[in-house]
Amino acid sequence: MASKATSSRAAPGVPKPKREEPQGGLPRNYLRASLLLLIGEAPVHGYDLLEQIAGLGLHTVDAGGLYRALRVMEGDGLVASAWEHSASGPARRTYRLTVEGGEWLHVWAGALRETHRYLSSYLDRYDDIVRSPDAVLPNAELPDAELPDAMLPRAEVPK
Amino acid sequence: MASKATSSRAAPGVPKPKREEPQGGLPRNYLRASLLLLIGEAPVHGYDLLEQIAGLGLHTVDAGGLYRALRVMEGDGLVASAWEHSASGPARRTYRLTVEGGEWLHVWAGALRETHRYLSSYLDRYDDIVRSPDAVLPNAELPDAELPDAMLPRAEVPK
DNA sequence: GCCAGATAGGTGTAGGGTACACATACCCAA
DNA sequence: TTGGGTATGTGTACCCTACACCTATCTGGC
């Protein structure tokens, strides 16, 4: 297998696993959590969020989904918005955090902190397996050989 | 609000947010990833996994979902199973990793390592907000006051 | 014997978040 | 006036998750 399918699409040889989704192994509802954080840092509008949010791991955000999430969050009372008519370009809807949104940001941060700890545990155990001499694993971390690069959970796993 | 609803159920006062789901902010497909890790450590059967997997953050796993995931993973060729008739108790289906399953474990570990880094970044930025004197946040991390403990993303956020 | 309970594995299904395609409108420069 | 960047949205299918429910085996107590 392997051959040469570096094209972000799944290799034809792979039977079923279509886990090359953009969000790979990011937390559930991470979009919501990220939006709360960014809006909590400073009031922003959607298009700005669309560009900033890549820095939190959401590289290929669906713009529509982001705007939809914002409207839903406003409906839930987590954020509030106001139109801002700039001299250049279309009007922009600027969001700010509500009190309840702030509470939820705290809650989310707590949950993500716990997730962070569990991931540390997961990765430690994984490293133990890989380093283990009596590796149960069929083939341990081949430096740069057979591992099919087209079936990644996320599009790319840099660094 | 707040009052006294420490009962793992959502407080009645909360308008919409039903984010008190068991899996809170754990990664997407974390069940699959965890099963791969555990089976990679040593061959096990489903019921055993059901008990072990809590150690990875999945405290309230749905047993049916776990068994279903195992069957699907076997259908995908990630694991292989064999019946084991013990002297005491019902027969158990023991799973082991296939070569392809091992490759996917590596892939998942890479994705989760990246997620781990992004969560570090998220939490750093959150701490910056909380510590910030000119906090944009309506109310910063009340030590143990108003924060409603019944609307947690995960059931409990210990330690 | 019989029944409760632990062990062990499984199905049905509704809900919700995500991904992808597509639509709309404003403003500016060529 | 046409294209492209800015800015905001809708429609919808898919798939994971959560919850309820079911079957079967074996052991121990009454």
Side-chain angles (χ1 to χ4, degrees):
Chain A
M1 69 168 90
S3 65
K4 201 160 175 291
T6 327
S7 64
S8 83
R9 287 286 84 189
V14 185
K16 277 289 234 35
K18 53 280 182 186
R19 325 231 148 287
E20 11 69 20
E21 296 151 38
Q23 306 303 349
L26 287 177
R28 298 195 58 203
N29 296 302
Y30 189 59
L31 177 60
R32 298 299 254 328
S34 297
L35 293 176
L36 282 178
L37 177 71
L38 293 175
I39 299 174
E41 287 180 338
V44 279
H45 60 275
Y47 194 81
D48 208 353
L49 288 165
L50 201 57
E51 294 171 332
Q52 286 189 43
I53 209 164
L56 287 170
L58 292 159
H59 303 293
T60 61
V61 234
D62 161 41
L66 186 144
Y67 286 114
R68 173 153 31 207
L70 287 172
R71 305 318 319 279
V72 173
M73 285 165 70
E74 182 163 27
D76 290 348
L78 306 187
V79 296
S81 70
W83 284 104
E84 211 174 82
H85 300 273
S86 78
S88 67
R92 44 182 68 168
R93 192 194 282 269
T94 300
Y95 288 91
R96 61 171 180 81
L97 221 52
T98 65
V99 173
E100 194 181 351
E103 290 170 353
W104 275 98
L105 173 54
H106 298 318
V107 170
W108 270 112
L112 292 180
R113 205 179 299 276
E114 199 189 353
T115 294
H116 189 258
R117 283 198 299 271
Y118 281 121
L119 284 185
S120 300
S121 173
Y122 183 105
L123 294 170
D124 285 347
R125 293 174 72 163
Y126 169 74
D127 291 338
D128 284 346
I129 293 180
V130 172
R131 276 197 294 268
S132 165
D134 57 316
V136 188
L137 275 178
N139 54 343
E141 205 143 49
L142 311 174
D144 54 286
E146 290 292 314
L147 230 180
D149 55 6
M151 47 197 268
L152 293 171
R154 204 158 312 147
E156 41 179 349
V157 183
K159 221 183 308 158
Chain B
M1 65 171 91
S3 66
K4 202 158 175 287
T6 328
S7 64
S8 86
R9 287 287 82 189
V14 184
K16 278 288 236 32
K18 55 277 179 186
R19 325 230 149 287
E20 12 70 18
E21 295 151 40
Q23 306 304 349
L26 287 178
R28 297 193 60 202
N29 297 301
Y30 190 58
L31 177 60
R32 298 302 257 320
S34 297
L35 292 176
L36 282 178
L37 177 70
L38 293 174
I39 300 174
E41 287 180 337
V44 279
H45 61 274
Y47 194 81
D48 208 354
L49 288 165
L50 201 57
E51 294 172 329
Q52 287 189 41
I53 209 165
L56 287 170
L58 293 159
H59 303 293
T60 61
V61 231
D62 161 40
L66 185 144
Y67 287 115
R68 173 156 27 209
L70 287 172
R71 305 317 318 280
V72 173
M73 286 166 70
E74 181 163 27
D76 290 348
L78 305 186
V79 296
S81 71
W83 283 104
E84 212 174 82
H85 299 273
S86 78
S88 68
R92 41 182 69 167
R93 193 193 282 268
T94 301
Y95 289 90
R96 60 172 181 80
L97 265 194
T98 64
V99 172
E100 196 182 349
E103 290 170 352
W104 274 98
L105 173 54
H106 298 319
V107 171
W108 271 111
L112 292 180
R113 205 180 299 277
E114 199 189 350
T115 293
H116 188 258
R117 282 198 300 271
Y118 282 121
L119 284 185
S120 299
S121 173
Y122 183 105
L123 294 170
D124 284 348
R125 293 174 72 164
Y126 169 75
D127 291 339
D128 284 347
I129 294 180
V130 172
R131 277 198 294 269
S132 165
D134 57 316
V136 187
L137 275 178
N139 55 343
E141 205 143 47
L142 312 174
D144 53 287
E146 290 293 313
L147 232 180
D149 55 5
M151 48 195 266
L152 294 171
R154 202 158 315 146
E156 41 179 350
V157 183
K159 222 181 314 159

